[in-house]
Amino acid sequence: MSRSRSFKPDRDVAEWKGPVVRYDLFKEVTVAFVVVLILAVGFAAIFSSPDEKPITLKSWSTAAPVDFVQTAITELDGTSGTARYGPPYNSTQGASQKLGPVSLENLAGVHIPIDTAQDFVVKPLLTLPGATALDGAIARYEGAGGAQRASWNAAYEKAAAKATYPGHLSVPSGSYGPVGLMMSDLLAMARSGALDGALTSSGQLYGTDYTKPLLFIADGQYMADVAGNHHLQGTQWGMMNETGSYPGQAWLWLYTMWYQIPPYSTSSNGDVLVWGTMMILTLLLALVPFIPGLRSIPRRARIYRLIWRRHYRSLSAGR
Amino acid sequence: MSIDVEEHETASPHGATPGVAPTWTGRFRRWAVRDLPPDKLLPDTQPAYVASWIYVFGALTLAAFAVVVLSGAVLAIKGPAWWHVSSAGLFVNSVHLWGTELFFFFMVIHLWGKFFMAAWRGRRKATWITGVLAFVTSIATAFTGYLSQQNFDSEWIGTQAKDGINATGAGAFWNVLDFGQMLLWHVLLLPLVVSIFVGIHVLLVRRRGVVPPFDDSAGAEPAQAEPAGTAS
């Protein structure tokens, strides 16, 4: 049996016993569909939709070969953004974001293991056929001790900072051993398009996982520069926008807004703080009917007087 | 005849309701007929207070959803590469995009309208919650659509969004840089979830009716208060 509770205007209603009017549900839905179809077709005909060509390792290394090489050496020496990312790609200590004392990334663990030196540089280079000198350079690099490799990497990274590309890769000389040949061959491989294929290859005939090439590309500066030119940087309200003058995902405005203001914009745990905040707000939205105070806002705001103005007008006229 | 046996069983004194078979199907039919009779499911009248343009936005949201699903079905029939190389494909993709923009535009107005009507009153809490769930899953559906475009927008959105999703731990299982995974979520799993929430939401609207206005007079009679312990 149910027992009655006291009437609360933000929870309960008096059953409607007033007049009804004719209503045609099918007609309303049909007219709505025709109207929306006309609007969507009209907007599509007038404004079309954006389709900016994607950046590939080939297009990046062709448009910005020096940036490609400067990024590639950070993949080899383990200092790139991906190499130091932490879960789900690797287990870099201290890289994970925390919500209070808890790191959800660490709890989930490394599920998409990526060793940037091997996966982005060494293994793709080993797929190149008939490259005797390169094979020798890789064997020399792989056979060297950690300290020697670090020394070569550091020397190349320093030299690559002054690299130029006057029709070919020009890197100041230095004590970088086999790394010079590895980097110049990786650049050539990327410019041919072969590196795109090597990084999307999953062992099956059809590859659909672009995690590796996209992480490699995102580690460079070129992609961020292109995004900036399209007003897509994080400080430009980032991913809720699209290329061109399209509305984009305007419904993500609240999510994107947090990234613009402290402490979210300055905290090293900014991403997880934004998500935590959005989860709480979403939960509040879903549970509004149960939350005293929050559920009283509509009654106190009195916007319903505008929505039901004819109803209240008829009540006044009847008194 | 087996029908005679069935009728005899349902009339037995062992707890079965006369006229209702003691089966899951029979109980479901009884529940459906009781809570969603034809005149509630397909009404041809409605309370006189339903007289505002704000009420149109629910139907407009459903209509936009239909446009999005239909244009998406055409894109699915032709495959993910079609719209990049064909002017007809680009047009259908544009209808899909603008249908989505209209869908969210109408849905947000519908949501705010229902908020300011306090449309959860009178055992309509589940209607409100399923509406919010439809809104949230629609955002995820649209997001995977942006990730499945195979152009610079999808690259940039994916590489930016991965940080937030990875920070929650979800990135270990839901990889926004995996085109195949995101495309399947976009064209199958999430639309299915949205459709289920929207379907339940609409049926609840039909079951409970449109929320009446606030009583701005002395107040309503307590007898109409929601029974304690009711999960609606």
Side-chain angles (χ1 to χ4, degrees), chain B residues 114-177:
Chain B
K114 293 301 167 186
F115 175 79
F116 285 113
M117 291 184 217
W120 51 79
R121 291 172 296 134
R123 305 181 71 187
R124 293 175 177 83
K125 297 186 185 75
T127 315
W128 172 267
I129 291 170
T130 50
V132 171
L133 289 173
F135 177 55
V136 172
T137 48
S138 295
I139 290 174
T141 311
F143 175 65
T144 51
Y146 275 85
L147 292 173
S148 304
Q149 292 181 100
Q150 297 175 297
N151 56 20
F152 179 72
D153 281 310
S154 51
E155 281 185 326
W156 180 250
I157 291 168
T159 52
Q160 291 297 293
K162 78 178 190 309
D163 298 332
I165 292 165
N166 288 341
T168 67
F173 315 99
W174 202 70
N175 182 7
V176 296
L177 304 182

Side-chain angles (χ1 to χ4, degrees), chain A residues 153-168:
Chain A
N153 290 337
Y156 190 84
E157 193 165 348
K158 185 179 177 184
K162 296 177 182 174
T164 56
Y165 196 87
H168 63 279

Side-chain angles (χ1 to χ4, degrees), chain A residues 95-99 105 255 258-278, chain B residues 163-165 167-168:
Chain A
S96 304
Q97 296 192 25
K98 289 182 179 174
L99 193 60
E105 288 178 89
Y255 173 81
W258 299 118
Y259 282 98
Q260 317 301 317
I261 57 174
Y264 305 95
S265 61
T266 52
S267 170
S268 58
N269 298 312
D271 290 303
V272 74
L273 286 177
V274 168
W275 269 84
T277 303
M278 288 305 293
Chain B
D163 298 332
I165 292 165
T168 67

Side-chain angles (χ1 to χ4, degrees), chain A residues 3 9-12 19 21 23 48-49 51-52 55 85 105 208 211 232 243 248 285 298 304-305 308 312, chain B residues 44 46 48 55 84 93-94 98 101 115 120-122 128 151-153 155-156 163 166 175 214 216 226 228:
Chain A
R3 47 201 166 77
D10 301 319
R11 186 192 65 197
D12 306 314
V21 292
Y23 172 59
S48 189
S49 52
D51 192 19
E52 190 74 21
I55 295 175
Y85 194 92
E105 288 178 89
T208 61
T211 306
L232 297 175
T243 50
L285 181 66
Y304 69 86
R305 295 284 308 190
W308 287 310
Y312 292 117
Chain B
D44 53 9
Q46 62 186 3
Y55 286 106
H84 298 286
N93 181 73
S94 304
W98 287 105
E101 298 287 351
F115 175 79
W120 51 79
R121 291 172 296 134
W128 172 267
N151 56 20
F152 179 72
D153 281 310
E155 281 185 326
W156 180 250
D163 298 332
N166 288 341
N175 182 7
F214 282 103
D216 273 10
E226 184 177 308

Side-chain angles (χ1 to χ4, degrees), chain A residues 163-188:
Chain A
T164 56
Y165 196 87
H168 63 279
L169 182 63
S170 175
V171 181
S173 57
S175 304
Y176 38 75
V179 173
L181 182 60
M182 290 168 67
M183 290 293 106
S184 61
D185 278 13
L186 190 72
L187 175 63

Side-chain angles (χ1 to χ4, degrees), chain B residues 49-228:
Chain B
Y49 59 79
V50 183
S52 166
W53 277 100
I54 198 73
Y55 286 106
V56 174
F57 286 91
L60 285 171
T61 307
L62 282 177
F65 185 53
V67 170
V68 170
V69 170
L70 290 173
S71 56
V74 176
L75 290 171
I77 288 167
K78 297 295 287 185
W82 176 55
W83 74 275
H84 298 286
V85 295
S86 151
S87 56
L90 179 62
F91 179 73
V92 174
N93 181 73
S94 304
V95 172
H96 193 60
L97 169 73
W98 287 105
T100 305
E101 298 287 351
L102 290 166
F103 172 72
F104 277 98
F105 178 72
F106 296 143
M107 185 160 47
V108 168
I109 294 176
H110 175 65
L111 190 155
W112 281 113
K114 293 301 167 186
F115 175 79
F116 285 113
M117 291 184 217
W120 51 79
R121 291 172 296 134
R123 305 181 71 187
R124 293 175 177 83
K125 297 186 185 75
T127 315
W128 172 267
I129 291 170
T130 50
V132 171
L133 289 173
F135 177 55
V136 172
T137 48
S138 295
I139 290 174
T141 311
F143 175 65
T144 51
Y146 275 85
L147 292 173
S148 304
Q149 292 181 100
Q150 297 175 297
N151 56 20
F152 179 72
D153 281 310
S154 51
E155 281 185 326
W156 180 250
I157 291 168
T159 52
Q160 291 297 293
K162 78 178 190 309
D163 298 332
I165 292 165
N166 288 341
T168 67
F173 315 99
W174 202 70
N175 182 7
V176 296
L177 304 182
D178 185 337
F179 166 72
Q181 187 185 15
M182 291 303 105
L183 183 65
L184 288 172
W185 275 77
H186 180 65
V187 302
L188 176 66
L189 298 175
L190 287 169
L192 189 64
V193 176
V194 173
S195 299
I196 290 170
F197 284 139
V198 168
I200 296 172
H201 181 72
V202 170
L203 288 177
L204 284 170
V205 171
R206 297 273 45 97
R207 182 186 179 195
R208 299 290 183 205
V210 183
V211 72
F214 282 103
D215 186 352
D216 273 10
S217 60
E221 54 274 45
Q224 302 297 339
E226 184 177 308

